[in-house]
């Protein structure tokens, strides 16, 4: 069974600082997703990483995927308050249904002025 | 124009009642899902339908019955509601053959069982 672990689960940081959220998964997965959820809202797709070494950037967020290490990272550069949200990673088990995303527990990010 | 829409957004009901949540997507996607998000924000898949056919049925009490009248709609009916059913239920859809398999989520339906 695919397990997805994120850390940290809670992250409080100051504006202007950099930090990284880590996402480890337990079995082979060739697709990794990052989603953002604001309080009481839906999940918004941020990045889809499809191959080993994939790197994608959008604004102050950059995501990468290392399939050999079974690790994805979400790097935050010069954080601003608007980035405060819960961030989820999700993976698909390569040997199972393409339709089944398994989510991590989420990282609650709070950016303080 | 909302891509994945759910109704109702909020539902408060008593234990033992039966309730339904409806979902519609206008993205032309082939696959639809129900996810449950608990109070700790943990997201777990419940069901998935592909072109009206059930393809994922996780370990969910049989009080939960999904129904897909067509590929644009996926409804969730819950019988004999229990306190532990209180959660936010998210509908989502994705496109077959898409190289990303990306899910698009609805706004969620917050169910509170008293």
């Amino acid at each position: 069974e695919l397990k997805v672990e994120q850390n940290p689960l809670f992250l409080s940081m100051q504006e202007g600082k950099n930090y990284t959220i880590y996402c480890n998964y337990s079995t082979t997965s060739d697709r990794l997703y990052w989603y953002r959820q604001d309080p009481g809202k839906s999940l918004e797709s941020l990045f889809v990483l499809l191959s080993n070494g994939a790197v994608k950037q959008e604004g102050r967020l950059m995501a990468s995927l290392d399939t050999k290490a079974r690790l994805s990272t979400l790097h935050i550069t010069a954080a601003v308050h608007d980035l405060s949200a819960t961030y989820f990673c999700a993976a698909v088990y390569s040997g199972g249904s393409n339709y089944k995303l398994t989510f991590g527990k989420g990282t609650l990010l709070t950016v303080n002025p | 124009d909302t891509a994945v829409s759910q109704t109702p957004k909020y539902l408060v009901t008593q234990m033992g009642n039966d309730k339904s949540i409806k979902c519609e997507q206008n993205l032309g996607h082939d696959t639809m899902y129900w996810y449950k998000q608990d109070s700790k924000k943990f997201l777990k898949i419940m069901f998935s339908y592909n072109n009206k056919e059930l393809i994922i049925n996780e370990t969910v009490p049989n009080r939960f019955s999904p129904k897909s009248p067509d590929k644009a709609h996926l409804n969730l009916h819950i019988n004999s509601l229990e306190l532990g059913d209180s959660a936010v239920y998210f509908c989502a859809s994705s496109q077959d053959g898409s190289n990303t398999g990306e899910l698009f989520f609805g706004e969620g339906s917050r169910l509170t069982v008293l």
Side-chain angles (χ1 to χ4, degrees):
Chain A
E1 183 188 344
L2 174 62
K3 291 189 183 341
V4 179
E5 292 190 0
Q6 287 180 237
N7 73 83
L9 298 182
F10 301 93
L11 177 54
S12 180
M13 54 192 297
Q14 282 189 305
E15 279 190 328
K17 299 291 187 184
N18 304 333
Y19 211 83
T20 300
I21 300 170
Y22 297 89
C23 175
N24 289 93
Y25 51 96
S26 61
T27 60
T28 308
S29 174
D30 50 16
R31 277 183 282 154
L32 197 292
Y33 304 83
W34 285 96
Y35 284 86
R36 169 182 171 146
Q37 186 179 34
D38 291 302
K41 300 292 185 182
S42 182
L43 283 88
E44 173 193 356
S45 177
L46 294 175
F47 301 108
V48 181
L49 303 167
L50 298 176
S51 59
N52 186 39
V55 177
K56 290 197 173 178
Q57 181 160 7
E58 180 74 35
R60 299 173 189 275
L61 300 177
M62 183 172 73
S64 65
L65 179 61
D66 181 344
T67 58
K68 293 179 182 177
R70 296 179 186 165
L71 171 68
S72 180
T73 61
L74 181 66
H75 186 73
I76 303 150
T77 302
V80 292
H81 180 69
D82 284 353
L83 289 180
S84 297
T86 300
Y87 293 85
F88 292 92
C89 66
V92 176
Y93 173 42
S94 296
S97 167
N98 283 334
Y99 301 104
K100 185 176 175 181
L101 262 66
T102 299
F103 281 81
K105 291 185 175 180
T107 297
L108 177 58
L109 171 65
T110 304
V111 181
N112 304 303
Chain B
D1 193 17
T2 307
V4 182
S5 59
Q6 299 178 224
T7 54
K9 285 191 169 32
Y10 300 95
L11 194 49
V12 180
T13 189
Q14 300 284 338
M15 270 198 311
N17 284 350
D18 303 339
K19 290 293 177 186
S20 292
I21 307 171
K22 296 186 176 183
C23 179
E24 175 182 3
Q25 54 95 4
N26 63 8
L27 298 167
H29 287 171
D30 300 300
T31 307
M32 296 184 72
Y33 310 77
W34 280 111
Y35 275 82
K36 178 180 180 180
Q37 187 173 46
D38 63 22
S39 58
K40 295 184 180 178
K41 294 197 174 177
F42 183 55
L43 272 158
K44 190 166 167 53
I45 191 168
M46 300 173 69
F47 302 103
S48 176
Y49 272 75
N50 178 259
N51 280 310
K52 302 194 297 175
E53 182 183 342
L54 181 66
I55 55 170
I56 294 176
N57 184 355
E58 291 294 282
T59 308
V60 175
N62 57 15
R63 297 181 294 104
F64 290 79
S65 50
K67 190 167 285 188
S68 181
D70 55 62
K71 74 172 193 176
H73 295 84
L74 179 61
N75 304 323
L76 183 65
H77 187 76
I78 316 169
N79 288 327
S80 303
L81 279 156
E82 299 178 357
L83 293 176
D85 297 332
S86 295
V88 181
Y89 292 85
F90 284 98
C91 177
S93 70
S94 66
Q95 177 59 50
D96 263 10
S98 156
N99 66 341
T100 68
E102 191 176 1
L103 263 60
F104 294 82
F105 284 85
E107 294 287 316
S109 297
R110 181 177 292 276
L111 172 64
T112 304
V113 182
L114 304 174

